[in-house]
Amino acid sequence: MMTIQAAKFTPEVLLSAPRRSPGVPNSTGELVLYTVSTYSFDTHSKTAQIRVLNIKEGTSHLVSEDSAASEPIWISEKEVAYVKGLDNGASALVAQHVLDANETNTIHRFAGSISSVKAKPLSADKVAFCCAALTTPDGQLYNPSAEPKSHTSAKIYDSLFVRHWDSWNTENKNSLWYGQLQKVDGKWTLGNSALTNLLAGTRLNSPVPPFGGAGDFDISSTGIVFVAKDPDLNHARHTKTDLYFVPLSSFLDKPTVPQIVKTGRLLGYSSSPAFSNDGKQVAFLRMKSQQYEADKTRLLLIPDVTDLSNVQEFYETDDDKGGWDLKPDWIVWSHDNKELYVAAEKHARVVLWKLPSSPLEAKSLPAPIHEDGSVAEAKVLGDSSSLLITTRSRVESSNYSILDPATRSVTVVSSTTKQGRAFSLTRSQCQEIWYEGSKGYKVHALVTLPSTFDPSKKYPLAFLVHGGPQGAWGDDWSTRWNPAIFAEQGYVVVSPNPTGSTGYGQDHTDAIQNNWGGDPYVDLVKCFEYIEKEMSYIDTDRAVALGASYGGYMMNWIQGHDLGRKFKALVCHDGVFSTLSQWSTEELFFPEHDFGGTLWDNREGYEKWDPAKYTGNWATPQLVIHNELDYRLPISEGLAMFNVLQARGVPSKFVMFPDEHHWVLKPENSLVWHREVLDWINKYSGISEQE
């Protein structure tokens, strides 16, 4: 298996190190399927592999190293299927024995590109199959090479939602396609030699863009459940997605009309549907508000898919707030269908919880069964009660472990970074603090120390402000904002989770509404004051601050206020220059919620927290990074920041990536990003002078 050993954790090491997917065990729980990729800055090329890990032997076996192969899934105990990209936008589904590369056959070729594949064994030689694909208005797989050549580049719209995330919307939409894989004469084939469009003629689209995937639907022997936006509401101003069920007696049959699952007062996002193992029940999540993307998710159950009118809520309360003050994110059924394992964020960690699978039996709140780092995924191991969990932390990019839910005991199976040692990182670098915030209650912050930390010495401060704003810094791995990268430059990194952050109860999250520069800013001021008073090994006279998205907004807000004079330099990535320009974004429900209405109905609410109002105070050197394809916060925001800084004579630099969106993902671009950011803060903190 691909390995790495680095004497120092640098951006080059971070970006070229193996990136491993969550592990998926086979039906017996003996083999774990996963993908791993690397990038070489020497050859400027990427490698990609599909592999299986033998749990008992601890050995890894190569299945495929075809760079066009992706999204492997189990279709039998020792056979997988994966998607292979072909020329001209086409794709193929390929079957292969994981231990014998000679046992390979192309199941079917498709005119378009399929993705988000799922499979469910029906018998020894039959498998239910479902995938997503971009689909034309007439219900066919979309293939860009088949489009007639246009002699104009004009895009013309007469309704809202003209673009989303990083692309302009077109008439082609996501749809789900299903079929049956069957083994004939030792070869896997596609029944009827075709997939069926589940959503043809329904006006429904699934998965939900821009981030929807296999988590937006599930399949069983009884049919398919999926989530889709309400076709009668404008998607730019409403978050509402409904859950639908299509019963299927056979995956070779044509579909019936999708049946909507009604949930009464809960009208927001529906997400993460999961069939019980026998296909008779469905657990899923739903929010209440249809204009708030960070509302609390409620855990729901359909006890019998033949009766969609009976939907039960876990921990329902009379005040309608729900008895569990955390936000479940995804759901896994136990092997006997008696329990649910649910991931939910708490105090900067994604914790795995256990509860009875029936709301009628869930009298007590869920019990945490894994709280170390962040759980990315959990899968039942065969027919046992054990789980294979994939976890990450600030020093660990991918760890596979076997978890016993009853005893909470954990056995490590495989660690990509050897618990950080491959990067010369250790858990001793990871600390945390609690300090008194703006409203008198405790606010949490993560602290990441250099690997060579000496408490008798002083280190400059790297102060990180997260985006969202309804988000949080977590004890998790990142290839974009990795605190250890800054720590290894010689900083003590403090990452606060102020008002608006998730994982500390819904009230803490909701309190940022109409309050962007209020309590969150005071929380950051108080964090800085705590550092000055209590953390003697931090040199706050050499402090720098960095943030992206809402964190970028806060860099500009800090610039205009007293805290801005505490920092030697600031870094703003894809941030907000003016709240008055928030209606240039694509998901308008976001500013409508966070600023208390439309721009014309509540202009005062937008103006109150506008960083541009305080540009006369801007004086701290600032690096501005903004990307051309960022349609969430258009590039004019970054240009306005830079123009103000330059006009005021403030040392500043502007970095733009024309082929990146809200995030910088391409390895070569990301390396430039890291170098520019580190060069900027190292110059002003004085670290460059020490090198």
Side-chain angles (χ1 to χ4, degrees), residues 355-383:
L355 67 156
S357 61
S358 169
L360 303 179
E361 298 176 13
K363 305 299 183 183
S364 301
L365 293 180
I369 57 174
H370 192 277
E371 301 177 85
D372 185 22
S374 292
V375 182
E377 198 164 286
K379 299 289 184 183
V380 175
L381 268 178
D383 58 1

Side-chain angles (χ1 to χ4, degrees), residues 255-295:
T256 57
V257 175
Q259 303 172 20
I260 191 169
V261 178
K262 296 183 179 181
T263 57
R265 75 203 186 288
L266 302 179
L267 298 173
Y269 276 124
S270 298
S271 61
S272 307
F275 273 111
S276 58
N277 296 305
D278 57 11
K280 296 179 180 179
Q281 305 178 76
V282 176
F284 68 106
L285 308 172
R286 187 146 204 189
M287 295 180 181
K288 181 179 179 181
S289 172
Q290 58 180 311
Q291 281 193 304
Y292 183 25
E293 64 180 359
D295 197 10

Side-chain angles (χ1 to χ4, degrees), residues 145-172:
S145 65
E147 278 200 331
K149 181 176 175 58
S150 175
H151 298 286
T152 177
S153 60
K155 299 181 186 297
I156 302 171
Y157 301 88
D158 60 7
S159 64
L160 273 178
F161 219 42
V162 300
R163 60 184 189 177
H164 199 191
W165 191 248
D166 63 354
S167 57
W168 290 83
N169 287 330
T170 71
E171 61 182 1
N172 304 307

Side-chain angles (χ1 to χ4, degrees), residues 612-626:
K613 186 161 60 172
Y614 302 95
T615 49
N617 298 332
W618 287 20
T620 301
Q622 181 163 321
L623 172 64
V624 178
I625 305 173
H626 223 102

